[in-house]
Amino acid sequence: MYNTKAYSAASATSPLSSTNIARRDPTEQDVQIEILFCGICHSDLHSVRNEWNSIMSTVYPIVPGHEIVGRVTKVGSAVTKYKPGDLAAVGCMVDSDGTCPHCRGGLEQFCSNMTQTYNSPDKHLGGVTYGGYSNSIVVDERFVLRVPSNLDLAGVAPLLCAGITTYSPMRHWGVTKGKKVGVVGLGGLGHMGVKFARAFDAHVVVFTTSPDKKEDALRLGADEVVVSRNADEMQKHAGSFDFILDTVSAKHDINAYLNLLRLDGNITLVGAPEKPLDVSAFSLIMARRSLSGSLIGGIAETQEMLDFCGKHNITADVEVIPIQKVNEAYDRLLKSDVKYRFVIDMASLKSA
């Protein structure tokens, strides 16, 4: 084992602060990575404050962070894909059993034995895994990703969660040229959804409750912007969408969007409202519409997404902060005061 600096929270009410954590020495199949940038995901905040305790209780101390970009510093003897000096990335998971049907099908994110990047049982050291708010991390080669060299590294970090979370359902539901695609909400997830739908050459419509977001939505690639509180604007689009990506995490009227789908249209939830949404059966059955949800993607699809971003020069819109401002960033995140993702410059941890 070796020790490395990190930022952790000791309880649900504690601020994140500087600490030292243990990492395993690389085994023969491991890659050791110096972390250069780590994105702040809203799930980091939920986990730190134990707001998801009904489905996954937080074990303290917690070191969050699953949007990791860095440089390889050491590799095990059996590693073939990476060498010291390579750019590399790590997303929301660092291991799975590799033998179940999901893993064999490239869907490791659905493996019942999947190990999350943080707050999962650590098979090597015991306790739980620690995430990317740290100087370095050691990960099995199978869960390390290549980073296109032409992209801004800070902007790449959120692709490891926000990016794949929005890319995966669009690929699954066949978003291509000529499709009409809606994106509900223009936050950390929504702005990536707009960029991907534009790159897929779809007709992109953003739905927002904030009229002042129209200019930004158009800048990001939307063809149209609809203020969802305007019933007349909504009605103009009734029965016309092939696919809608719903990124909203607050309770909202899902039927208003189901009724915008054409025959066999789909709406996929990637936001996670705390309270159940009320779904009218008639919103589904009258046009054979479907309502689904989506998590992240598997490792192969995540690599596909990164390569797609390299080809189309896609990164997240980010505000880069030193780690000393992470607690302030969490407070601002609660107020949606960021365009559109916070990313920590991990060089700042050296002076923490």
Side-chain angles (χ1 to χ4, degrees):
M1 293 191 302
Y2 70 96
N3 288 326
T4 188
K5 273 190 172 183
Y7 251 53
S8 71
S11 73
T13 56
S14 301
L16 289 150
S17 60
S18 182
T19 188
N20 285 291
I21 60 171
R23 295 290 195 192
R24 71 178 184 266
D25 291 320
T27 67
E28 62 179 15
Q29 69 268 13
D30 282 337
V31 176
Q32 185 183 64
I33 300 167
E34 176 192 7
I35 300 174
L36 302 176
F37 294 96
C38 185
I40 296 178
C41 179
H42 209 113
S43 58
D44 295 349
L45 190 154
H46 288 305
S47 298
V48 165
R49 298 187 175 176
N50 202 22
E51 292 172 350
W52 286 343
N53 62 82
S54 61
I55 53 172
M56 54 177 86
S57 292
T58 300
V59 177
Y60 296 97
I62 179 175
V63 177
H66 57 204
E67 299 179 342
I68 299 166
V69 175
R71 194 172 298 280
V72 176
T73 54
K74 188 183 295 185
V75 298
S77 59
V79 171
T80 59
K81 296 179 182 177
Y82 302 94
K83 65 183 185 304
D86 287 348
L87 293 174
V90 179
C92 301
M93 51 187 173
V94 292
D95 205 357
S96 68
D97 62 32
T99 59
C100 72
H102 298 315
C103 289
R104 292 200 302 271
L107 299 170
E108 298 94 343
Q109 72 273 31
F110 299 119
C111 173
S112 59
N113 295 307
M114 183 263 285
T115 300
Q116 297 182 89
T117 304
Y118 65 86
N119 201 45
S120 271
D122 189 324
K123 301 174 184 176
H124 298 268
L125 299 180
V128 295
T129 52
Y130 293 138
Y133 295 12
S134 56
N135 272 335
S136 71
I137 193 168
V138 178
V139 180
D140 188 299
E141 177 185 29
R142 296 176 300 134
F143 288 82
V144 178
L145 298 143
R146 296 182 306 278
V147 177
S149 60
N150 61 305
L151 298 179
D152 172 71
L153 295 185
V156 167
L159 300 180
L160 280 303
C161 181
I164 188 58
T165 296
T166 51
Y167 179 90
S168 183
M170 289 191 185
R171 289 283 285 130
H172 180 76
W173 290 99
V175 171
T176 55
K177 183 176 181 179
K179 299 286 187 179
K180 185 175 180 181
V181 172
V183 177
V184 185
L186 195 65
L189 291 174
H191 94 287
M192 289 307 311
V194 174
K195 291 188 179 192
F196 283 132
R198 162 56 58 201
F200 285 132
D201 209 14
H203 182 87
V204 189
V205 181
V206 167
F207 294 93
T208 178
T209 57
S210 305
D212 58 359
K213 287 189 176 181
K214 180 174 182 178
E215 184 177 340
D216 226 25
L218 295 173
R219 175 186 66 82
L220 290 164
D223 296 288
E224 301 178 61
V225 181
V226 172
V227 178
S228 55
R229 292 192 175 108
N230 187 316
D232 291 337
E233 287 188 38
M234 294 287 282
Q235 182 57 35
K236 288 177 184 176
H237 291 275
S240 66
F241 283 86
D242 297 286
F243 176 79
I244 296 176
L245 185 75
D246 188 340
T247 73
V248 177
S249 292
K251 189 170 176 62
H252 57 290
D253 182 8
I254 193 68
N255 299 294
Y257 298 102
L258 283 168
N259 291 328
L260 300 182
L261 295 172
R262 66 171 75 244
L263 178 68
D264 289 330
N266 169 267
I267 182 167
T268 293
L269 304 179
V270 290
E274 181 182 356
K275 296 180 180 179
L277 300 175
D278 297 319
V279 179
S280 165
F282 287 100
S283 295
L284 296 172
I285 64 178
M286 296 307 291
R288 203 164 59 191
R289 299 164 176 139
S290 63
L291 171 64
S292 62
S294 185
L295 194 59
I296 51 172
I299 293 299
E301 187 175 53
T302 304
Q303 187 63 62
E304 173 189 301
M305 179 271 305
L306 287 170
D307 294 342
F308 182 87
C309 288
K311 180 180 179 181
H312 294 274
N313 200 30
I314 295 172
T315 55
D317 285 22
V318 301
E319 179 179 338
V320 180
I321 63 167
I323 200 161
Q324 291 82 356
K325 290 190 176 181
V326 67
N327 293 300
E328 177 186 329
Y330 275 31
D331 290 339
R332 288 178 56 193
L333 195 58
L334 284 172
K335 302 171 187 174
S336 299
D337 179 23
V338 57
K339 287 187 175 181
Y340 281 92
R341 300 286 278 205
F342 286 116
V343 172
I344 304 166
D345 180 349
M346 296 309 302
S348 61
L349 183 55
K350 292 179 173 64
S351 60

